[in-house]
Amino acid sequence: MKKCVVIYTEGETDEEFYDKVLNTIKNKIPDKIFKVDALKKSCITGIAKFQKKLVNKFVKEIVRKYSKDHEIIVFLCYDTDVFQFGAHPPVDRAMLEADLRRNGASDVVHIKANRTIEDFFIYDIDGIANFLKIQKPKNLKGSTGLEKLEKLFLKANRIYQKGHKCSGFIESLDMDIIFPKICNEIRPLCVQLGLEINCNSCRKYVSK
């Protein structure tokens, strides 16, 4: 049976980052070809709309086209901060997964950024400092990657707006540095796309 991988992200920054994740995975595969028959990616802007819009979009754009002859594997990419600190999380992830499976998903995989996707970015402090044209700080202040990134932007007299595209920022990040640090989170995606045969490609960067 053919395989269709679908990736859902939240916000413009997340979308741009996962574009770079996909490009990095492809470049690590020996023949630079994903081992899937179809790969689709969609940004569901705003967490409040995520659950409401996603299932209908999934049925309309994916299920109707691929369900007859494809195994459909869905990846949900999201922050966990609203669940840790919010009294009433706006999205019931378990219910969303059940709805996706009931409507045709063969599997649903959660890629969770702990606590925010900015915690992924912050692993490459050198790249961020170079992008902002500031000196690399000796100590980073803030309890989350988002807080740390906001403070770094302020040092450059700039404002970091979560979820909004910042021209050139994601491009400046070194994925060879970031990938080993987020291996546990993105490994299921790497495996589905065919990187497992070259999985050790990240290890040489672990000590950096």
Side-chain angles (χ1 to χ4, degrees):
M1 197 174 192
K2 295 180 180 179
K3 180 165 65 176
C4 173
V5 168
V6 188
I7 302 169
Y8 291 110
T9 60
E10 300 171 342
E12 294 176 349
T13 308
D14 304 57
E15 182 179 30
E16 190 177 3
F17 178 73
Y18 280 101
D19 279 340
K20 191 161 185 176
V21 166
L22 291 174
N23 187 57
T24 303
I25 292 173
K26 178 180 282 188
N27 286 331
K28 289 178 179 293
I29 297 173
D31 58 3
K32 299 187 183 342
I33 298 174
F34 291 134
K35 310 309 178 189
V36 296
D37 301 285
L39 175 61
K40 302 294 179 180
K41 187 171 65 63
S42 184
C43 177
I44 311 298
T45 307
I47 191 164
K49 300 177 182 179
F50 200 89
Q51 186 169 0
K52 182 178 179 181
K53 293 171 61 176
L54 194 149
V55 175
N56 288 338
K57 188 176 181 67
F58 172 67
V59 171
K60 181 179 179 180
E61 298 179 358
I62 305 300
V63 175
R64 292 177 183 174
K65 184 174 182 179
Y66 295 102
S67 62
K68 290 183 179 180
D69 56 356
H70 285 71
E71 174 190 17
I72 302 174
I73 302 166
V74 177
F75 284 86
L76 301 175
C77 308
Y78 56 90
D79 294 352
T80 62
D81 60 342
V82 292
F83 307 103
Q84 291 177 344
F85 306 116
H88 300 288
V91 178
D92 185 330
R93 300 291 178 179
M95 184 178 293
L96 175 57
E97 177 176 338
D99 285 344
L100 288 168
R101 289 181 181 274
R102 186 165 48 251
N103 281 280
S106 305
D107 194 12
V108 178
V109 182
H110 300 254
I111 300 183
K112 306 174 187 178
N114 182 32
R115 307 170 176 170
T116 66
I117 196 168
E118 287 77 14
D119 286 274
F120 288 176
F121 304 162
I122 212 73
Y123 285 124
D124 183 18
I125 295 296
D126 289 327
I128 296 171
N130 289 336
F131 169 75
L132 294 173
K133 296 183 171 65
I134 61 173
Q135 186 175 358
K136 178 182 176 181
K138 294 182 179 179
N139 296 301
L140 285 176
K141 296 181 179 180
S143 60
T144 68
L146 176 58
E147 290 180 4
K148 293 173 182 178
L149 195 58
E150 288 173 338
K151 292 181 184 300
L152 286 172
F153 267 67
L154 286 175
K155 286 181 179 293
N157 294 316
R158 298 181 62 172
I159 301 295
Y160 178 80
Q161 291 183 290
K162 181 172 178 58
H164 294 274
K165 187 172 182 178
C166 178
S167 180
F169 173 57
I170 297 298
E171 294 175 13
S172 72
L173 298 177
D174 188 338
M175 300 303 276
D176 283 331
I177 293 174
I178 294 174
F179 254 49
K181 304 291 187 181
I182 64 174
C183 177
N184 289 337
E185 289 83 0
I186 64 168
R187 182 177 173 81
L189 181 60
C190 293
V191 170
Q192 287 295 340
L193 296 179
L195 183 57
E196 73 271 25
I197 59 175
N198 197 38
C199 191
N200 291 336
S201 61
C202 289
R203 289 190 177 180
K204 61 184 176 180
Y205 298 99
V206 171
S207 62
K208 287 189 176 183

